[in-house]
């Protein structure tokens, strides 16, 4: 009997040859694990097409059953090895899980950076840390008592006009405000600690002020305080000279002039020589005896000096920034330059 005749078995379902063509075409188009598995179930599975063909053999007469049975079993063997082949071919062309295509150009991760104010604050505090000052922080929402009263700035005193204040409750002007400077931490530190004291206090301050290129309504300050038995104005000068050299370079010239702040006596401001002109960078002075006494210190035994500066101002000088408002406008074109 010619071979092709023997595989005609319409009464047991489809012919072995038809199934073979369908199976091979389907297998060739299987591209994924899921497609391969669904192919296996459809053709070789327990309820698959080949299995049901083999099951139907029983209804054939003995001669047909022999021929078609042999063909169908041969096909099973063929399909199983084609299936293996296809599976390993797909595996070998696929990149292993977790691998990377090293021919692709890399994607640059977007890195953040420290804000220029933070960078300046860290540089300033580090300079003082190396001179023995400890960095501490204090509250931005402050009591009138610490922001003004304990610093020898009584209510209704004209000196308060120097610090235009944002009150937390603007109707009642009760005693809660946004600190106008970091100096309240002088009072808080002395109230809670005995001498010797050497602290450096960075932090945010707020003023009820209109803004322009050199004024912001919020900004940072760095406060310094040293109190001990026998501290003199020479200590103040030596410390601030050293600070200026560390931040602006060893050749930097500085100048002190008299200035007034209610919580120091005498009070000064310090300027640095900047391309031939004097630029004021901080206020300072010897802690006023009243401020020492307000904190419970014996002003005949202890003396100290204090200073305060604006890190944004210093950063503006060093980096030739012409407008202080850049610091807080969140513009990446500015921020990414640091
Ligand atoms: N707190 C003052 C200001 O904001 C600066 C200062 C601090 C002056 C300490 C003297 C001593 O202007």
């Amino acid at each position: 009997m010619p071979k092709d005749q023997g595989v005609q078995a319409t009464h047991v379902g489809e012919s072995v040859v038809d199934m073979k063509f369908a199976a091979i075409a389907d297998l060739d188009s299987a591209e994924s694990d899921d497609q391969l598995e669904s192919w296996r179930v459809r053709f070789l599975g327990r309820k698959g097409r080949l299995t049901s063909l083999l099951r139907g053999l029983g209804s054939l007469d003995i001669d047909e059953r022999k021929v078609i049975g042999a063909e169908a079993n041969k096909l099973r063997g063929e399909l199983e090895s084609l299936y293996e082949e296809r599976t390993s071919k797909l595996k070998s062309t696929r990149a292993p899980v977790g691998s990377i295509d090293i021919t692709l150009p890399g994607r640059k991760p977007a890195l953040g950076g420290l804000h220029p104010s933070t960078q300046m604050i860290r540089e300033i505090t580090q300079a003082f840390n190396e001179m023995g000052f400890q960095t501490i922080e204090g509250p931005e929402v402050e009591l009138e008592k610490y922001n003004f009263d304990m610093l020898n700035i009584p209510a209704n005193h004209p000196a308060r006009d120097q610090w235009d204040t944002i009150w937390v409750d603007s109707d009642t002007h009760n005693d809660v405000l946004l600190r106008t400077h970091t100096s309240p931490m002088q009072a808080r530190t002395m109230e809670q600690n005995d001498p010797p004291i050497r602290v450096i206090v960075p932090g945010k301050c707020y003023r009820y002020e209109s803004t322009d290129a050199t004024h912001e309504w919020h900004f940072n300050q760095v406060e310094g305080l040293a109190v001990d038995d026998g501290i003199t104005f020479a200590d103040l000068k030596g410390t601030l000279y050293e600070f200026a050299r560390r931040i602006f370079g060893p050749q930097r010239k500085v100048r002190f002039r008299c200035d007034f702040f209610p919580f120091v006596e005498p009070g000064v401001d310090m300027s640095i020589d900047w391309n031939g002109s004097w630029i004021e960078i901080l206020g300072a002075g010897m802690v006023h005896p009243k401020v020492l006494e307000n904190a419970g210190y014996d002003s005949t035994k202890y003396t100290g000096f204090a200073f305060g500066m604006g890190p944004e101002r210093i950063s503006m000088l060093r980096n030739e920034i012409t407008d202080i408002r850049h610091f807080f406008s969140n513009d990446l074109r500015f921020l990414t330059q640091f």
Side-chain angles (χ1 to χ4, degrees), residues 4 31 53 99 101 105 121 137 143 145 148 177 222 294 304 312:
D4 272 353
E31 298 287 356
L53 188 144
S99 70
D101 179 354
I121 287 171
E137 288 180 303
L143 296 173
K145 170 183 157 192
F148 289 126
L177 47 78
V222 179
N294 288 343
E312 281 88 19

Side-chain angles (χ1 to χ4, degrees), residues 163 180-181 183 186 207 221 223 261 263-264 283-285 306-308:
W163 292 278
T180 61
H181 51 180
S183 300
Q186 290 186 34
R207 287 189 195 171
Q221 279 197 345
E223 189 86 10
F261 302 96
F263 33 92
V264 288
F307 55 88

